[in-house]
Amino acid sequence: MEIYNLLRVAIIVHEMKANSAAWHNDQESREDMERENRELGQGLRDFYGVPAVYDPEGGVWYVGAIGGPKLYDLY
């Protein structure tokens, strides 16, 4: 992955982390933050080839498959 794309992926994941952290403290905006993270995850897959998958039961983003490496740990 080119350095520019790697930096963009890191920025997107940073946005996702911020939404996830805020999700625990902002009851009113939870649906919006979850929707935004799903859209960001789709962008990671479509534009950058990062196979981000979401486990709705655990509320965790993974790379490749549920139970694999955690997205937030990699970026």
Side-chain angles (χ1 to χ4, degrees), residues 20-70:
S20 294
W23 186 90
H24 294 284
N25 299 319
D26 187 352
Q27 299 270 339
E28 295 176 10
S29 300
R30 281 185 170 183
E31 288 181 20
D32 293 335
M33 288 181 276
E34 184 175 341
R35 182 174 38 256
E36 183 177 354
N37 270 9
R38 289 182 183 271
E39 290 171 2
L40 290 168
Q42 187 67 47
L44 288 174
R45 290 187 293 276
D46 292 347
F47 299 114
Y48 302 102
V50 176
V53 294
Y54 181 67
D55 175 12
E57 289 184 29
V60 176
W61 284 90
Y62 293 97
V63 175
I66 293 173
K70 293 180 180 178

Side-chain angles (χ1 to χ4, degrees), residues 1-11 48:
M1 180 179 300
E2 292 182 23
I3 190 70
Y4 175 79
N5 289 337
L6 181 59
L7 290 172
R8 185 64 189 134
V9 167
I11 290 167
Y48 302 102

